[in-house]
Amino acid sequence: MGTRGKLPPREVALLKLAHAGRTIKKFGKFIGPGFMVAVAYIDPGNYATDIAAGADSKFSLLFMVLLSNLIAIFFQTLCIKMGSVTGGSLGDNCREHLPKWMFISLYIISEIAIIATDFAEVIGTAIAITLLFKVNIIISVGLTILDVIFVLIFYRPKGASKGLQAFEYAVAALVLTVVVSFCVELSLLKNTNVGEVFLGYLPSKALVEGRGLYLACGILGATVMPHSLFLGSGMVQPRLQKFDEDAGLDVTQTDNGVYRPTLNAIDSCMKYSIAELTVQLFTFALFVNSAILIVAGASLFGNPAADTDLFGIFDLLNKTIAPAAGIVFALALLMSGISAGIVCTVASQISTEGFMQWKISPWVMRLITRILALIPAIAIAAKGGKDALGDALTGSQVILSILLPVISAPLVYITCRQKYMTVSADRIDEKSKNSVSVTARMINEQGVDMSNGLLMTISSVGLWLVVAVMNIALLALIAMGKA
C-alpha cells in the first residue's frame, strides 16, 4: 500500500471536522424528547423531597440525587430501546405480550400513578401562585386547571414532525427557565463551602442514620417516576417514522395498530435518542435536583425554627438572603409545575392509547387528568390549608415510590426477552442483511436479536431489585412510625 492515497493532515482534519459537524447537526434533530422526560424529574414532588433532605442532612444526600439520576437514565435507556425495536410504548407492549387481566391491572395502576403525579403538580403550581401573587390557596388550586389546556391544544403526536418539535421546544424553554432560576438562586447563597457540597455526592453514613433511609427512598420515588417510563418508550417513534418516510417506505402500514421501524431506522436513530436523553438528565435534571437540595441545605439545616416545606423555604430565602431569592424560587416552582403538568398529560395519553387503544384528544385528556387531581387537592386545601397540602405533596411521592416497581417490572421483563425484542427479517433490507454487523446478530434467519445481553440483563434486574428493596424499606419505616 505504501503512502499512496494517503491524505495530507490538513485534509484529514477537515474531513473529521465535517464529520463532527454532520453528527452534531443530526443530534440536534433529536433534541426534544429528553427535555420532556427531564421535566418528570424536576416536578414539585422533587422540590418537597429535596427540601426535606437538605433541611435534615444538609448536603449529605446529594449522593442519593446522583444515584437516582443514574437509575433513571438506565431505565430510560431500556424505554428507548423498547420503543425503538418494537415501535410501541410500554403500554403497547404490555397489551401485546401480557395476559388481558394483567395489562388491564397495569393500566389502572399506571393511571393511579399519573393522577398522583398530576396531584403533585396541582399542589406545586398552586403554592407557587399563592407565593407570587398572594392569592388564597383554594383559589390557586382552582386556577391550575388553566395552566396547560391551551398549550396542549397544539400537541399533535401524530401530526407533522415540525409541529411536534415546536411543542417539545416550548417545554424545553420552560425547563431552561427553571435552570436559569436556580443558577440565580445558587449565586445568591452566602457562606457555602463548595468542597462540602461536592463531598455530598459521595456515599456517607447519613444514608442510614436517623431519617436518612426514609429521605433517600423519598428522593428515589420522586426522581424515578412511573409516568416517565411511558414518555421514554412512547416519544421516540416520530423520529423513526421520519427516517423510514425519507427512505421512501410506507409508514402507514402497522402490525396490530403499532408501526414497526426498520433495522436501518433503529440503528440510525436509537443511539442518538439515548445520547440526547442522557445529556438532558445528566445536566438539567441532575442540576436542578442538586440545586434544590443545596439551597435547602444552606438555608434550613441547623435551623429548627424554620418550616421545612415550600412555604418555609420561601420565607427563609426572603429573610436571610434577599426578597429576590424567594421570588426566583417561586418562579422556578411555577415553571416546574406547569411543564410537569403538560408532560403528565402526554404520559397519560401514551398510556391510554397503548394499553386500551382509546384515541383521546390531548386537551380532553388534560381535562380528565387535571379534574381527577383537582378534586382531592381542593378538598385538602379547604379542610387543612397550606400545611395539609404540604403533607399531601410528600404523600403523593410515597404512592409513586410504591407503584414504581410494579410498573417497571414489565419493562425489564420485555427488554430481556429475545422473543419480543427481535427485529424480524421483513424489516431488514437486502443491503443490511449482507453487512457484517447485521449478520453477526442474525438468529437463524428469523431476524436480529436486540434484547438485553447478559450484562444488561443482570444490571436491569439488579437495579429493579434495588428499587423494590428500597420501597419495601420505605413501607416498613412507615409501618413502624419512623417515617
Side-chain angles (χ1 to χ4, degrees), residues 74-148:
F74 189 89
F75 277 145
Q76 287 299 329
T77 298
L78 294 183
C79 288
I80 290 174
K81 189 174 183 180
M82 170 191 279
S84 299
V85 175
T86 69
S89 68
L90 178 57
D92 288 314
N93 280 278
C94 287
R95 186 191 74 249
E96 189 172 347
H97 304 308
L98 301 179
K100 187 174 182 179
W101 67 268
M102 187 178 291
F103 80 72
I104 290 177
S105 300
L106 281 167
Y107 172 65
I108 294 170
I109 292 169
S110 300
E111 285 303 307
I112 291 171
I114 288 169
I115 292 168
T117 302
D118 203 42
F119 176 76
E121 325 311 6
V122 166
I123 294 175
T125 305
I127 290 175
I129 292 171
T130 297
L131 293 174
L132 288 169
F133 305 108
K134 312 303 179 187
V135 180
N136 179 278
I137 190 66
I138 298 176
I139 296 175
S140 295
V141 171
L143 287 173
T144 61
I145 200 168
L146 303 174
D147 67 350
V148 292

Side-chain angles (χ1 to χ4, degrees), residues 185 187-190 295 298-299 316-326:
E185 203 71 66
S187 71
L188 294 173
L189 290 179
K190 301 173 183 176
V295 170
S299 306
L316 198 65
L317 290 171
N318 272 337
K319 294 174 184 176
T320 60
I321 299 179

Side-chain angles (χ1 to χ4, degrees), residues 182-434:
F182 273 103
C183 286
V184 174
E185 203 71 66
L186 290 173
S187 71
L188 294 173
L189 290 179
K190 301 173 183 176
N191 303 320
T192 302
N193 188 303
V194 177
E196 186 180 4
V197 170
F198 280 102
L199 281 175
Y201 287 106
L202 300 177
S204 69
K205 60 182 180 180
L207 284 169
V208 293
E209 285 184 342
R211 295 200 310 151
L213 183 58
Y214 167 70
L215 292 170
C217 290
I219 291 172
L220 179 68
T223 303
V224 193
M225 303 180 80
H227 77 291
S228 67
L229 303 182
F230 296 99
L231 285 168
S233 61
M235 295 199 69
V236 296
Q237 287 79 24
R239 268 80 174 176
L240 293 160
Q241 290 184 3
K242 181 71 166 55
F243 183 94
D244 280 339
E245 267 184 353
D246 291 344
L249 300 178
D250 182 7
V251 298
T252 61
Q253 294 184 0
T254 61
D255 178 10
N256 294 324
V258 177
Y259 160 70
R260 307 293 185 187
T262 62
L263 181 64
N264 276 344
I266 296 168
D267 281 343
S268 179
C269 298
M270 187 166 71
K271 58 180 178 290
Y272 286 97
S273 294
I274 292 173
E276 189 260 349
L277 179 130
T278 301
V279 168
Q280 311 305 357
L281 290 189
F282 223 98
T283 51
F284 299 116
L286 179 60
F287 170 78
V288 171
N289 278 301
S290 297
I292 297 168
L293 193 148
I294 291 167
V295 170
S299 306
L300 299 176
F301 181 73
N303 190 348
D307 294 327
T308 56
D309 59 11
L310 295 172
F311 291 101
I313 194 170
F314 175 81
D315 292 336
L316 198 65
L317 290 171
N318 272 337
K319 294 174 184 176
T320 60
I321 299 179
I327 292 172
V328 170
F329 176 82
L331 178 64
L333 178 61
L334 179 64
M335 293 299 103
S336 292
I338 291 173
S339 55
I342 296 171
V343 168
C344 191
T345 298
V346 175
S348 183
Q349 187 179 37
I350 292 172
S351 168
T352 299
E353 291 188 359
F355 278 111
M356 309 306 292
Q357 293 187 307
W358 296 339
K359 303 296 181 182
I360 303 176
S361 296
W363 69 271
V364 174
M365 182 60 73
R366 167 73 282 173
L367 281 174
I368 294 171
T369 306
R370 183 46 58 104
I371 288 171
L372 290 173
L374 267 176
I375 294 171
I378 290 175
I380 292 169
K383 185 175 181 179
K386 297 187 293 186
D387 292 338
L389 279 178
D391 292 338
L393 181 57
T394 304
S396 68
Q397 304 310 294
V398 173
I399 293 172
L400 294 175
S401 186
I402 293 168
L403 297 180
L404 177 62
V406 179
I407 297 174
S408 60
L411 172 68
V412 174
Y413 169 72
I414 291 170
T415 54
C416 288
R417 295 293 305 275
Q418 176 184 302
K419 178 181 178 182
Y420 307 134
M421 296 290 290
T422 295
V423 180
S424 56
D426 62 325
R427 290 193 278 155
I428 308 172
D429 62 28
E430 291 302 320
K431 184 179 178 181
S432 295
K433 284 181 181 178
N434 296 326

